[in-house]
Amino acid sequence: MPEFTVEDVALHKSRDDLWVIIHGKVYDLTQYLRDHPGGADVLIDVAGTDATAAYEDVGHSEDADEIMQTYLIGTVKDAQQFVRKAAVRVIQAVPPPVVATAAKSSSRTRAVVTTGSAAGLLSLLYCLRPRNGSLQPQNTIREAFARLPRGTHLLPAAITNLRLPHGGFVNGFAAAALISATIGTIAAVQLSKLTQIDSGFAKYPPHMKSRRLPKPDPHNIPGFLVPKDYKTLPLVQKDVLAPNVYRFVFQLPNATDIIGLPIGQHVAIKAIVNGQTVSRSYTPTSNNLDRGRLELVIKCYPDGLLTGQYLANLQVGEEVLFRGPKGAMKYKPNMCKRIGMIAGGTGITPMYQLIRAICEGDTDTTEISLVYANRGEEDILLRVELEAFARKYPKQFRVYYMLDNPPKGWKYGKGYVTPQIMEAYLPKSAADTKIMLCGPPGMVNAAKKGLGGLGFEMPGAVAKVGDRIFCF
């Protein structure tokens, strides 16, 4: 590949001629400005420079790495290897172990053992005393226990007041056995208390467990797709939905196969166009409930390398390379109470995927509010399907359209999705509310600023599933 110096790259730093260096490679991002998810200003700020540190700080995904290969034009002469700064590790002091409880238990154990030993000794003395001797069992036991360590109060008073028979080895042996058995029982009870674990579940009465197993989520079952490897599928149907917008239907190997795509995830398509390897990601409008097929709705821009020069000319019967699932979003039923959506153009596809899964889910009660923006009425994609869901689930799904050029008698909105529109047709900021965005970068960036003014927490540069504002 061509080799450039740092000075060569520095000459290309304008909006109409923008080069950057990333990991010793040179990329011409002039044509990518309008498509960059973070907005054009982010790229303009690093134009003509080594942007490796900024690229790594943001933490780009595999999608970004694949897209960058499309714009690779050369390498940097004498490039220096990028080394990430080592993170500072804070070591917290470990508190000394607590020994008070163990000491207390040990003390009680010694007391119980001492009690048993003393009682056994007294029993032996009683057995061996002379028939007419002066040893008095009751007095001797009471006096002996009075001198024992703390903890012997665990012995009941009834033992020390026990009336013992006088005289004879047999009577003495019987008394000794009685005392030893009693003391042994008390000692065993106390030792059991010392070693017993006071666990929470033991405090509650037993109950019967339900044998009913939860239903597996059909959208989390693995299928045809493989995350790391590309696999081919033939195109079996191609329909025009709007100007330059197509529905592509690809056939899986078997009629019962599923694509294996969790809700919120997308797939990557790869092709070689004009000698270049190009890869882009798209969200299917089909899911695991649609067996034997993978369906995509894509707008093919005339100047688009993959869409305009490849997909727009794709014919039924030709095969396409796919891999997945990919993406930061992996939706779970009832992830939050309310979801607000702002979509523009073909940005409706990931929204439709979620809307369909939520409305068709037996136990998902999430409420959805969608604001969908387009240029004209003919550009509204999946309108029939969206309005069918709105009619069937009126308490769960609402849709409001915005058009740049509305027809006469249009009953929805006109113009941009402003903060006023967001406040009127989207849920308020709350801990159990999430807003999702997908569409042209300019619209997405303006929407984020407007939502920030309405009290929503702004997302980071890289989308995370826990973001209050999630950008596909």
Side-chain angles (χ1 to χ4, degrees):
M1 299 190 69
E3 192 175 55
F4 302 95
T5 64
V6 174
E7 291 75 17
D8 292 335
V9 176
L11 299 174
H12 304 269
K13 57 182 179 179
S14 66
R15 179 183 291 269
D16 299 325
D17 183 18
L18 195 155
W19 292 12
V20 296
I21 300 170
I22 298 176
H23 289 297
K25 297 179 180 179
V26 181
Y27 298 89
D28 182 356
L29 301 181
T30 308
Q31 300 300 319
Y32 187 56
L33 278 179
R34 68 177 186 180
D35 296 326
H36 186 244
D41 293 340
V42 175
L43 296 180
I44 293 173
D45 288 343
V46 295
T49 69
D50 190 329
T52 305
Y55 185 84
E56 290 296 326
D57 287 344
V58 171
H60 285 79
S61 63
E62 291 181 3
D63 290 350
D65 294 334
E66 290 183 354
I67 291 172
M68 290 294 289
Q69 297 307 310
T70 306
Y71 302 99
L72 178 63
I73 60 173
T75 60
V76 177
K77 185 178 181 181
D78 301 325
Q80 299 295 320
Q81 185 176 3
F82 174 76
V83 178
R84 184 184 296 276
K85 294 181 180 179
V88 179
R89 183 183 177 189
V90 179
I91 302 177
Q92 298 180 347
V94 180
V98 179
V99 297
T101 303
K104 182 177 179 181
S105 299
S106 177
S107 175
R108 293 182 64 187
T109 304
R110 286 197 301 270
V112 173
V113 173
T114 305
T115 302
S117 300
L121 177 61
L122 289 174
S123 302
L124 181 61
L125 290 175
Y126 182 78
C127 292
L128 299 178
R129 72 177 178 84
R131 182 179 298 273
N132 297 321
S134 60
L135 181 62
Q136 298 297 321
Q138 286 81 8
N139 294 336
T140 303
I141 292 175
R142 281 194 291 271
E143 291 172 4
F145 276 103
R147 295 184 176 89
L148 292 176
R150 293 181 62 189
T152 54
H153 61 278
L154 300 173
L155 185 70
I159 297 299
T160 58
N161 294 328
L162 188 66
R163 304 292 297 178
L164 299 174
H166 289 276
F169 178 80
V170 175
N171 289 339
F173 185 83
L178 175 61
I179 293 173
S180 297
T182 306
I183 295 301
T185 301
I186 296 172
V189 171
Q190 295 302 323
L191 286 173
S192 176
K193 290 182 179 179
L194 292 174
T195 58
Q196 184 176 3
I197 299 174
D198 187 19
S199 59
F201 71 86
K203 297 180 180 179
Y204 300 96
H207 62 278
M208 295 297 293
K209 291 185 178 181
S210 173
R211 294 183 179 274
R212 181 181 301 174
L213 297 176
K215 281 185 176 182
D217 187 349
H219 301 296
N220 289 330
I221 300 174
F224 171 80
L225 293 171
V226 180
K228 296 297 182 182
D229 300 321
Y230 282 94
K231 302 172 73 173
T232 59
L233 288 177
L235 178 68
V236 295
Q237 184 178 336
K238 182 180 179 181
D239 303 318
V240 178
L241 302 183
N244 298 321
V245 178
Y246 301 89
R247 176 189 278 118
F248 298 91
V249 180
F250 297 89
Q251 185 176 3
L252 299 180
N254 299 297
T256 57
D257 288 346
I258 60 174
I259 57 177
L261 189 74
I263 299 301
Q265 303 259 288
H266 50 264
V267 300
I269 292 178
K270 183 174 73 171
I272 298 177
V273 182
N274 298 333
Q276 289 182 276
T277 299
V278 186
S279 176
R280 295 288 187 272
S281 294
Y282 302 97
T283 303
T285 51
S286 58
N287 59 36
N288 283 358
L289 300 180
D290 304 308
R291 294 185 175 272
R293 57 190 277 140
L294 187 157
E295 180 181 298
L296 294 166
V297 174
I298 301 174
K299 184 169 185 177
C300 297
Y301 297 93
D303 57 348
L305 195 58
L306 184 71
T307 59
Q309 298 186 42
Y310 176 68
L311 292 177
N313 300 318
L314 196 65
Q315 301 297 315
V316 172
E318 293 185 290
E319 293 187 333
V320 175
L321 288 168
F322 289 92
R323 77 174 179 90
K326 305 175 66 179
M329 170 59 68
K330 192 172 183 180
Y331 179 79
K332 295 180 180 179
N334 298 303
M335 177 184 287
C336 50
K337 188 175 181 180
R338 288 173 290 271
I339 294 179
M341 298 177 172
I342 301 177
T346 54
I348 190 61
T349 54
M351 307 302 186
Y352 176 77
Q353 189 190 59
L354 265 76
I355 292 166
R356 181 183 169 188
I358 291 170
C359 289
E360 293 179 346
D362 294 335
T363 60
D364 201 330
T365 59
T366 307
E367 299 173 10
I368 317 162
S369 301
L370 167 67
V371 175
Y372 184 22
N374 284 282
R375 292 181 178 177
E377 188 174 13
E378 68 279 3
D379 297 314
I380 300 176
L381 304 178
L382 302 169
R383 184 175 183 177
V384 173
E385 293 84 349
L386 291 172
E387 294 182 357
F389 281 125
R391 286 192 303 270
K392 191 173 181 180
Y393 306 95
K395 294 182 179 180
Q396 198 168 9
F397 175 57
R398 298 181 304 166
V399 58
Y400 188 79
Y401 302 109
M402 296 290 296
L403 295 181
D404 293 340
N405 304 303
K408 188 177 181 179
W410 179 247
K411 63 178 182 179
Y412 296 101
K414 176 184 178 180
Y416 296 114
V417 182
T418 62
Q420 291 75 23
I421 294 294
M422 299 177 198
E423 191 171 21
Y425 295 100
L426 296 179
K428 311 299 181 192
S429 175
D432 57 0
T433 298
K434 187 185 291 289
I435 302 294
M436 299 184 178
L437 309 175
C438 190
M443 187 203 79
V444 170
N445 290 329
K448 285 195 289 188
K449 292 178 183 178
L451 291 166
L454 295 175
F456 286 90
E457 181 182 352
M458 297 296 286
V462 177
K464 296 180 177 63
V465 70
D467 291 343
R468 297 293 181 204
I469 303 175
F470 183 87
C471 302
F472 284 98

